[in-house]
Amino acid sequence: MRGASRTCQLTAPRGLRRNPFTMTKKLKLSEIVTDAGTQVRAGLNEATVADYAEALADGAKFPAVIVFHDGSRYIAADGFHRIEAATRTGATQIECDVRKGSKTDALKYALGCNVHHGLRRSNADKRHAVELAVKEFGKFSDSTLAEICAVNRELVAEVRKINLLDSSRLTPPPTRIGLDG
């Protein structure tokens, strides 16, 4: 890897590509909020961060990270590994596609990321994304959440069932009235 200048290709799937309401600009890493609850992976992959940091140090160019601007904050939606890699190389800025929107918009976008580009999602990543989606968008149908998270409906139903069972253990079930009154 060392000594090779390259451009890293992380192609966004249709529907997640840059839209006309996106502005590309460099942002200070310190301006990007990465702890707003929009990281849908179970955790960062250390090997990927190290690979990206090495590539950046060698002069590689990565696609812009996706952030949503809510009027006061730049909330990360896609590119958490690239942000961490840039931080580790001592960079102070990173190229961003800035979209207008809230934390909810950023989360909704993030839930479907990395299906066709970047580090593929592990089963734990998919499950974590569904858990976040059920928590944030619980009124949506299993099919709708499956589409947003780019997973199958059965996984959403399974996660929803487990969450329901867990929450029923925390609070006593409602009192039932039998046939005898």
Side-chain angles (χ1 to χ4, degrees):
M1 281 189 148
R2 293 257 178 227
S5 178
R6 63 184 186 276
T7 300
C8 296
Q9 297 297 320
L10 301 175
T11 307
R14 218 172 10 152
L16 295 183
R17 292 196 179 121
R18 199 167 157 229
N19 66 44
F21 304 106
T22 301
M23 173 180 54
T24 302
K25 69 182 208 175
K26 284 198 176 230
L27 290 175
K28 292 179 183 176
L29 288 164
S30 61
E31 291 180 306
I32 301 171
V33 178
T34 58
D35 60 356
T38 57
Q39 167 57 286
V40 298
R41 290 190 183 274
L44 290 180
N45 181 295
E46 188 57 41
T48 299
V49 173
D51 287 347
Y52 286 6
E54 182 179 345
L56 286 170
D58 288 342
K61 303 290 183 213
F62 282 85
V65 301
I66 308 293
V67 299
F68 282 73
H69 189 247
D70 68 359
S72 62
R73 304 177 301 166
Y74 294 98
I75 304 164
D78 184 32
F80 288 87
H81 285 92
R82 288 172 275 159
I83 292 168
E84 181 62 24
T87 300
R88 289 187 188 180
T89 65
T92 58
Q93 295 182 327
I94 194 166
E95 193 77 21
C96 296
D97 279 348
V98 180
R99 299 165 185 233
K100 288 185 181 181
S102 64
K103 174 197 169 237
T104 301
D105 296 321
L107 176 60
K108 198 173 204 181
Y109 181 93
L111 289 167
C113 286
N114 298 113
V115 175
H116 302 289
H117 73 285
L119 175 66
R120 294 292 175 116
R121 300 179 302 170
S122 68
N123 287 339
D125 292 337
K126 293 174 191 176
R127 182 170 294 280
H128 187 252
V130 171
E131 289 169 351
L132 289 173
V134 166
K135 181 179 175 186
E136 187 73 24
F137 308 109
K139 292 183 180 182
F140 290 3
S141 70
D142 290 355
S143 296
T144 300
L145 290 179
E147 186 175 327
I148 290 170
C149 296
V151 298
N152 65 44
R153 189 192 62 74
E154 289 77 18
L155 177 59
V156 177
E158 177 187 327
V159 167
R160 195 186 296 266
K161 182 178 177 181
I162 290 168
N163 286 351
L164 187 61
L165 289 172
D166 286 346
S167 67
S168 70
R169 287 184 194 128
L170 297 175
T171 57
T175 304
R176 294 187 180 182
I177 300 173
L179 290 175
D180 60 356

PDB file of all heavy atoms in Angstrom, residues 138-167:
ATOM      1  N   GLY A 138     -40.673   2.964  15.366  1.00  0.00           N
ATOM      2  CA  GLY A 138     -41.416   1.784  15.776  1.00  0.00           C
ATOM      3  C   GLY A 138     -42.815   1.648  15.208  1.00  0.00           C
ATOM      4  O   GLY A 138     -43.346   0.548  15.133  1.00  0.00           O
ATOM      5  N   LYS A 139     -43.411   2.742  14.790  1.00  0.00           N
ATOM      6  CA  LYS A 139     -44.765   2.678  14.242  1.00  0.00           C
ATOM      7  C   LYS A 139     -44.770   2.206  12.790  1.00  0.00           C
ATOM      8  O   LYS A 139     -45.829   1.877  12.259  1.00  0.00           O
ATOM      9  CB  LYS A 139     -45.454   4.040  14.364  1.00  0.00           C
ATOM     10  CG  LYS A 139     -45.734   4.426  15.805  1.00  0.00           C
ATOM     11  CD  LYS A 139     -46.477   5.729  15.908  1.00  0.00           C
ATOM     12  CE  LYS A 139     -46.736   6.057  17.374  1.00  0.00           C
ATOM     13  NZ  LYS A 139     -47.503   7.278  17.537  1.00  0.00           N
ATOM     14  N   PHE A 140     -43.614   2.187  12.147  1.00  0.00           N
ATOM     15  CA  PHE A 140     -43.531   1.715  10.769  1.00  0.00           C
ATOM     16  C   PHE A 140     -43.711   0.200  10.739  1.00  0.00           C
ATOM     17  O   PHE A 140     -43.343  -0.503  11.682  1.00  0.00           O
ATOM     18  CB  PHE A 140     -42.184   2.060  10.146  1.00  0.00           C
ATOM     19  CG  PHE A 140     -41.951   3.530   9.873  1.00  0.00           C
ATOM     20  CD1 PHE A 140     -42.867   4.513  10.216  1.00  0.00           C
ATOM     21  CD2 PHE A 140     -40.782   3.924   9.266  1.00  0.00           C
ATOM     22  CE1 PHE A 140     -42.633   5.852   9.950  1.00  0.00           C
ATOM     23  CE2 PHE A 140     -40.532   5.266   8.997  1.00  0.00           C
ATOM     24  CZ  PHE A 140     -41.460   6.228   9.337  1.00  0.00           C
ATOM     25  N   SER A 141     -44.221  -0.306   9.647  1.00  0.00           N
ATOM     26  CA  SER A 141     -44.410  -1.747   9.496  1.00  0.00           C
ATOM     27  C   SER A 141     -43.056  -2.445   9.381  1.00  0.00           C
ATOM     28  O   SER A 141     -42.037  -1.808   9.068  1.00  0.00           O
ATOM     29  CB  SER A 141     -45.235  -2.041   8.247  1.00  0.00           C
ATOM     30  OG  SER A 141     -44.471  -1.750   7.082  1.00  0.00           O
ATOM     31  N   ASP A 142     -43.058  -3.751   9.609  1.00  0.00           N
ATOM     32  CA  ASP A 142     -41.833  -4.541   9.459  1.00  0.00           C
ATOM     33  C   ASP A 142     -41.283  -4.405   8.041  1.00  0.00           C
ATOM     34  O   ASP A 142     -40.081  -4.276   7.842  1.00  0.00           O
ATOM     35  CB  ASP A 142     -42.084  -6.020   9.773  1.00  0.00           C
ATOM     36  CG  ASP A 142     -42.340  -6.273  11.252  1.00  0.00           C
ATOM     37  OD1 ASP A 142     -42.227  -5.334  12.062  1.00  0.00           O
ATOM     38  OD2 ASP A 142     -42.640  -7.436  11.585  1.00  0.00           O
ATOM     39  N   SER A 143     -42.165  -4.431   7.053  1.00  0.00           N
ATOM     40  CA  SER A 143     -41.728  -4.318   5.650  1.00  0.00           C
ATOM     41  C   SER A 143     -41.078  -2.969   5.369  1.00  0.00           C
ATOM     42  O   SER A 143     -40.059  -2.899   4.675  1.00  0.00           O
ATOM     43  CB  SER A 143     -42.907  -4.534   4.705  1.00  0.00           C
ATOM     44  OG  SER A 143     -43.409  -5.839   4.836  1.00  0.00           O
ATOM     45  N   THR A 144     -41.655  -1.911   5.915  1.00  0.00           N
ATOM     46  CA  THR A 144     -41.088  -0.568   5.713  1.00  0.00           C
ATOM     47  C   THR A 144     -39.721  -0.455   6.377  1.00  0.00           C
ATOM     48  O   THR A 144     -38.766   0.050   5.769  1.00  0.00           O
ATOM     49  CB  THR A 144     -42.046   0.512   6.258  1.00  0.00           C
ATOM     50  OG1 THR A 144     -43.289   0.412   5.562  1.00  0.00           O
ATOM     51  CG2 THR A 144     -41.466   1.908   6.082  1.00  0.00           C
ATOM     52  N   LEU A 145     -39.617  -0.945   7.608  1.00  0.00           N
ATOM     53  CA  LEU A 145     -38.321  -0.895   8.295  1.00  0.00           C
ATOM     54  C   LEU A 145     -37.290  -1.758   7.576  1.00  0.00           C
ATOM     55  O   LEU A 145     -36.122  -1.377   7.481  1.00  0.00           O
ATOM     56  CB  LEU A 145     -38.465  -1.336   9.756  1.00  0.00           C
ATOM     57  CG  LEU A 145     -39.222  -0.371  10.667  1.00  0.00           C
ATOM     58  CD1 LEU A 145     -39.324  -0.943  12.071  1.00  0.00           C
ATOM     59  CD2 LEU A 145     -38.567   0.992  10.691  1.00  0.00           C
ATOM     60  N   ALA A 146     -37.722  -2.904   7.062  1.00  0.00           N
ATOM     61  CA  ALA A 146     -36.808  -3.777   6.317  1.00  0.00           C
ATOM     62  C   ALA A 146     -36.275  -3.056   5.085  1.00  0.00           C
ATOM     63  O   ALA A 146     -35.083  -3.143   4.764  1.00  0.00           O
ATOM     64  CB  ALA A 146     -37.517  -5.074   5.923  1.00  0.00           C
ATOM     65  N   GLU A 147     -37.141  -2.324   4.408  1.00  0.00           N
ATOM     66  CA  GLU A 147     -36.713  -1.577   3.228  1.00  0.00           C
ATOM     67  C   GLU A 147     -35.739  -0.462   3.605  1.00  0.00           C
ATOM     68  O   GLU A 147     -34.711  -0.275   2.955  1.00  0.00           O
ATOM     69  CB  GLU A 147     -37.929  -0.990   2.507  1.00  0.00           C
ATOM     70  CG  GLU A 147     -37.576  -0.332   1.194  1.00  0.00           C
ATOM     71  CD  GLU A 147     -38.804   0.146   0.441  1.00  0.00           C
ATOM     72  OE1 GLU A 147     -39.859  -0.507   0.537  1.00  0.00           O
ATOM     73  OE2 GLU A 147     -38.687   1.177  -0.239  1.00  0.00           O
ATOM     74  N   ILE A 148     -36.046   0.276   4.662  1.00  0.00           N
ATOM     75  CA  ILE A 148     -35.174   1.363   5.108  1.00  0.00           C
ATOM     76  C   ILE A 148     -33.797   0.824   5.494  1.00  0.00           C
ATOM     77  O   ILE A 148     -32.773   1.415   5.154  1.00  0.00           O
ATOM     78  CB  ILE A 148     -35.803   2.114   6.305  1.00  0.00           C
ATOM     79  CG1 ILE A 148     -37.021   2.909   5.855  1.00  0.00           C
ATOM     80  CG2 ILE A 148     -34.783   3.046   6.974  1.00  0.00           C
ATOM     81  CD1 ILE A 148     -37.851   3.483   6.993  1.00  0.00           C
ATOM     82  N   CYS A 149     -33.762  -0.307   6.194  1.00  0.00           N
ATOM     83  CA  CYS A 149     -32.504  -0.888   6.685  1.00  0.00           C
ATOM     84  C   CYS A 149     -31.837  -1.810   5.668  1.00  0.00           C
ATOM     85  O   CYS A 149     -30.733  -2.296   5.919  1.00  0.00           O
ATOM     86  CB  CYS A 149     -32.754  -1.670   7.968  1.00  0.00           C
ATOM     87  SG  CYS A 149     -33.316  -0.662   9.344  1.00  0.00           S
ATOM     88  N   ALA A 150     -32.503  -2.074   4.563  1.00  0.00           N
ATOM     89  CA  ALA A 150     -31.986  -2.978   3.530  1.00  0.00           C
ATOM     90  C   ALA A 150     -31.674  -4.363   4.113  1.00  0.00           C
ATOM     91  O   ALA A 150     -30.582  -4.895   3.960  1.00  0.00           O
ATOM     92  CB  ALA A 150     -30.780  -2.375   2.823  1.00  0.00           C
ATOM     93  N   VAL A 151     -32.663  -4.896   4.825  1.00  0.00           N
ATOM     94  CA  VAL A 151     -32.577  -6.246   5.395  1.00  0.00           C
ATOM     95  C   VAL A 151     -33.894  -6.950   5.078  1.00  0.00           C
ATOM     96  O   VAL A 151     -34.829  -6.334   4.555  1.00  0.00           O
ATOM     97  CB  VAL A 151     -32.345  -6.225   6.928  1.00  0.00           C
ATOM     98  CG1 VAL A 151     -31.024  -5.554   7.279  1.00  0.00           C
ATOM     99  CG2 VAL A 151     -33.497  -5.546   7.656  1.00  0.00           C
ATOM    100  N   ASN A 152     -33.992  -8.231   5.434  1.00  0.00           N
ATOM    101  CA  ASN A 152     -35.258  -8.910   5.180  1.00  0.00           C
ATOM    102  C   ASN A 152     -36.250  -8.643   6.319  1.00  0.00           C
ATOM    103  O   ASN A 152     -35.878  -8.333   7.444  1.00  0.00           O
ATOM    104  CB  ASN A 152     -35.054 -10.408   4.910  1.00  0.00           C
ATOM    105  CG  ASN A 152     -34.505 -11.163   6.091  1.00  0.00           C
ATOM    106  OD1 ASN A 152     -34.937 -10.972   7.223  1.00  0.00           O
ATOM    107  ND2 ASN A 152     -33.553 -12.035   5.841  1.00  0.00           N
ATOM    108  N   ARG A 153     -37.521  -8.774   5.981  1.00  0.00           N
ATOM    109  CA  ARG A 153     -38.597  -8.489   6.914  1.00  0.00           C
ATOM    110  C   ARG A 153     -38.545  -9.387   8.140  1.00  0.00           C
ATOM    111  O   ARG A 153     -38.869  -8.972   9.252  1.00  0.00           O
ATOM    112  CB  ARG A 153     -39.943  -8.639   6.201  1.00  0.00           C
ATOM    113  CG  ARG A 153     -41.115  -8.151   7.007  1.00  0.00           C
ATOM    114  CD  ARG A 153     -42.444  -8.557   6.413  1.00  0.00           C
ATOM    115  NE  ARG A 153     -42.615 -10.010   6.347  1.00  0.00           N
ATOM    116  CZ  ARG A 153     -42.859 -10.803   7.398  1.00  0.00           C
ATOM    117  NH1 ARG A 153     -42.935 -10.287   8.599  1.00  0.00           N
ATOM    118  NH2 ARG A 153     -43.011 -12.095   7.245  1.00  0.00           N
ATOM    119  N   GLU A 154     -38.069 -10.612   7.949  1.00  0.00           N
ATOM    120  CA  GLU A 154     -38.008 -11.564   9.056  1.00  0.00           C
ATOM    121  C   GLU A 154     -37.063 -11.085  10.157  1.00  0.00           C
ATOM    122  O   GLU A 154     -37.329 -11.287  11.339  1.00  0.00           O
ATOM    123  CB  GLU A 154     -37.581 -12.953   8.555  1.00  0.00           C
ATOM    124  CG  GLU A 154     -38.647 -13.656   7.724  1.00  0.00           C
ATOM    125  CD  GLU A 154     -38.761 -13.133   6.296  1.00  0.00           C
ATOM    126  OE1 GLU A 154     -37.810 -12.464   5.804  1.00  0.00           O
ATOM    127  OE2 GLU A 154     -39.803 -13.375   5.668  1.00  0.00           O
ATOM    128  N   LEU A 155     -35.954 -10.443   9.783  1.00  0.00           N
ATOM    129  CA  LEU A 155     -35.030  -9.924  10.787  1.00  0.00           C
ATOM    130  C   LEU A 155     -35.715  -8.818  11.598  1.00  0.00           C
ATOM    131  O   LEU A 155     -35.587  -8.777  12.828  1.00  0.00           O
ATOM    132  CB  LEU A 155     -33.741  -9.391  10.149  1.00  0.00           C
ATOM    133  CG  LEU A 155     -32.741  -8.753  11.111  1.00  0.00           C
ATOM    134  CD1 LEU A 155     -32.287  -9.734  12.188  1.00  0.00           C
ATOM    135  CD2 LEU A 155     -31.547  -8.201  10.349  1.00  0.00           C
ATOM    136  N   VAL A 156     -36.448  -7.950  10.932  1.00  0.00           N
ATOM    137  CA  VAL A 156     -37.150  -6.877  11.642  1.00  0.00           C
ATOM    138  C   VAL A 156     -38.163  -7.477  12.618  1.00  0.00           C
ATOM    139  O   VAL A 156     -38.238  -7.075  13.781  1.00  0.00           O
ATOM    140  CB  VAL A 156     -37.841  -5.905  10.667  1.00  0.00           C
ATOM    141  CG1 VAL A 156     -38.634  -4.848  11.423  1.00  0.00           C
ATOM    142  CG2 VAL A 156     -36.819  -5.244   9.750  1.00  0.00           C
ATOM    143  N   ALA A 157     -38.924  -8.460  12.147  1.00  0.00           N
ATOM    144  CA  ALA A 157     -39.932  -9.096  13.011  1.00  0.00           C
ATOM    145  C   ALA A 157     -39.269  -9.758  14.219  1.00  0.00           C
ATOM    146  O   ALA A 157     -39.765  -9.650  15.343  1.00  0.00           O
ATOM    147  CB  ALA A 157     -40.730 -10.122  12.206  1.00  0.00           C
ATOM    148  N   GLU A 158     -38.144 -10.411  13.995  1.00  0.00           N
ATOM    149  CA  GLU A 158     -37.415 -11.077  15.087  1.00  0.00           C
ATOM    150  C   GLU A 158     -36.923 -10.064  16.119  1.00  0.00           C
ATOM    151  O   GLU A 158     -37.096 -10.244  17.323  1.00  0.00           O
ATOM    152  CB  GLU A 158     -36.237 -11.869  14.510  1.00  0.00           C
ATOM    153  CG  GLU A 158     -35.376 -12.548  15.549  1.00  0.00           C
ATOM    154  CD  GLU A 158     -34.137 -13.177  14.924  1.00  0.00           C
ATOM    155  OE1 GLU A 158     -34.197 -13.650  13.779  1.00  0.00           O
ATOM    156  OE2 GLU A 158     -33.086 -13.167  15.608  1.00  0.00           O
ATOM    157  N   VAL A 159     -36.313  -8.979  15.642  1.00  0.00           N
ATOM    158  CA  VAL A 159     -35.796  -7.946  16.554  1.00  0.00           C
ATOM    159  C   VAL A 159     -36.949  -7.294  17.313  1.00  0.00           C
ATOM    160  O   VAL A 159     -36.864  -7.081  18.516  1.00  0.00           O
ATOM    161  CB  VAL A 159     -34.961  -6.900  15.780  1.00  0.00           C
ATOM    162  CG1 VAL A 159     -34.680  -5.667  16.645  1.00  0.00           C
ATOM    163  CG2 VAL A 159     -33.663  -7.518  15.292  1.00  0.00           C
ATOM    164  N   ARG A 160     -38.022  -7.002  16.613  1.00  0.00           N
ATOM    165  CA  ARG A 160     -39.180  -6.381  17.266  1.00  0.00           C
ATOM    166  C   ARG A 160     -39.736  -7.305  18.352  1.00  0.00           C
ATOM    167  O   ARG A 160     -40.060  -6.858  19.454  1.00  0.00           O
ATOM    168  CB  ARG A 160     -40.251  -6.059  16.235  1.00  0.00           C
ATOM    169  CG  ARG A 160     -41.309  -5.105  16.752  1.00  0.00           C
ATOM    170  CD  ARG A 160     -42.439  -4.895  15.781  1.00  0.00           C
ATOM    171  NE  ARG A 160     -42.118  -4.278  14.540  1.00  0.00           N
ATOM    172  CZ  ARG A 160     -42.216  -2.973  14.286  1.00  0.00           C
ATOM    173  NH1 ARG A 160     -42.583  -2.149  15.239  1.00  0.00           N
ATOM    174  NH2 ARG A 160     -41.938  -2.491  13.100  1.00  0.00           N
ATOM    175  N   LYS A 161     -39.813  -8.598  18.073  1.00  0.00           N
ATOM    176  CA  LYS A 161     -40.334  -9.573  19.042  1.00  0.00           C
ATOM    177  C   LYS A 161     -39.424  -9.644  20.274  1.00  0.00           C
ATOM    178  O   LYS A 161     -39.903  -9.624  21.407  1.00  0.00           O
ATOM    179  CB  LYS A 161     -40.440 -10.946  18.391  1.00  0.00           C
ATOM    180  CG  LYS A 161     -41.021 -12.007  19.291  1.00  0.00           C
ATOM    181  CD  LYS A 161     -41.125 -13.337  18.550  1.00  0.00           C
ATOM    182  CE  LYS A 161     -41.648 -14.423  19.468  1.00  0.00           C
ATOM    183  NZ  LYS A 161     -41.740 -15.719  18.790  1.00  0.00           N
ATOM    184  N   ILE A 162     -38.112  -9.695  20.060  1.00  0.00           N
ATOM    185  CA  ILE A 162     -37.160  -9.743  21.176  1.00  0.00           C
ATOM    186  C   ILE A 162     -37.264  -8.473  22.011  1.00  0.00           C
ATOM    187  O   ILE A 162     -37.295  -8.527  23.240  1.00  0.00           O
ATOM    188  CB  ILE A 162     -35.719  -9.960  20.663  1.00  0.00           C
ATOM    189  CG1 ILE A 162     -35.581 -11.384  20.116  1.00  0.00           C
ATOM    190  CG2 ILE A 162     -34.702  -9.691  21.761  1.00  0.00           C
ATOM    191  CD1 ILE A 162     -34.295 -11.619  19.337  1.00  0.00           C
ATOM    192  N   ASN A 163     -37.354  -7.320  21.359  1.00  0.00           N
ATOM    193  CA  ASN A 163     -37.494  -6.056  22.088  1.00  0.00           C
ATOM    194  C   ASN A 163     -38.783  -6.010  22.894  1.00  0.00           C
ATOM    195  O   ASN A 163     -38.811  -5.516  24.010  1.00  0.00           O
ATOM    196  CB  ASN A 163     -37.425  -4.861  21.134  1.00  0.00           C
ATOM    197  CG  ASN A 163     -36.025  -4.589  20.640  1.00  0.00           C
ATOM    198  OD1 ASN A 163     -35.062  -5.175  21.125  1.00  0.00           O
ATOM    199  ND2 ASN A 163     -35.908  -3.709  19.668  1.00  0.00           N
ATOM    200  N   LEU A 164     -39.849  -6.534  22.321  1.00  0.00           N
ATOM    201  CA  LEU A 164     -41.125  -6.570  23.019  1.00  0.00           C
ATOM    202  C   LEU A 164     -41.046  -7.466  24.248  1.00  0.00           C
ATOM    203  O   LEU A 164     -41.508  -7.104  25.322  1.00  0.00           O
ATOM    204  CB  LEU A 164     -42.227  -7.057  22.075  1.00  0.00           C
ATOM    205  CG  LEU A 164     -43.649  -6.995  22.604  1.00  0.00           C
ATOM    206  CD1 LEU A 164     -44.038  -5.554  22.932  1.00  0.00           C
ATOM    207  CD2 LEU A 164     -44.601  -7.587  21.585  1.00  0.00           C
ATOM    208  N   LEU A 165     -40.397  -8.636  24.093  1.00  0.00           N
ATOM    209  CA  LEU A 165     -40.232  -9.539  25.230  1.00  0.00           C
ATOM    210  C   LEU A 165     -39.377  -8.908  26.314  1.00  0.00           C
ATOM    211  O   LEU A 165     -39.691  -8.996  27.494  1.00  0.00           O
ATOM    212  CB  LEU A 165     -39.617 -10.866  24.783  1.00  0.00           C
ATOM    213  CG  LEU A 165     -40.507 -11.783  23.954  1.00  0.00           C
ATOM    214  CD1 LEU A 165     -39.708 -12.964  23.419  1.00  0.00           C
ATOM    215  CD2 LEU A 165     -41.692 -12.256  24.777  1.00  0.00           C
ATOM    216  N   ASP A 166     -38.282  -8.258  25.905  1.00  0.00           N
ATOM    217  CA  ASP A 166     -37.405  -7.604  26.879  1.00  0.00           C
ATOM    218  C   ASP A 166     -38.130  -6.497  27.620  1.00  0.00           C
ATOM    219  O   ASP A 166     -37.989  -6.353  28.824  1.00  0.00           O
ATOM    220  CB  ASP A 166     -36.157  -7.037  26.196  1.00  0.00           C
ATOM    221  CG  ASP A 166     -35.176  -8.122  25.798  1.00  0.00           C
ATOM    222  OD1 ASP A 166     -35.321  -9.268  26.268  1.00  0.00           O
ATOM    223  OD2 ASP A 166     -34.262  -7.827  24.997  1.00  0.00           O
ATOM    224  N   SER A 167     -38.916  -5.700  26.909  1.00  0.00           N
ATOM    225  CA  SER A 167     -39.612  -4.590  27.574  1.00  0.00           C
ATOM    226  C   SER A 167     -40.719  -5.105  28.482  1.00  0.00           C
ATOM    227  O   SER A 167     -41.015  -4.500  29.503  1.00  0.00           O
ATOM    228  CB  SER A 167     -40.174  -3.605  26.553  1.00  0.00           C
ATOM    229  OG  SER A 167     -41.209  -4.203  25.804  1.00  0.00           O
TER     230      SER A 167
END
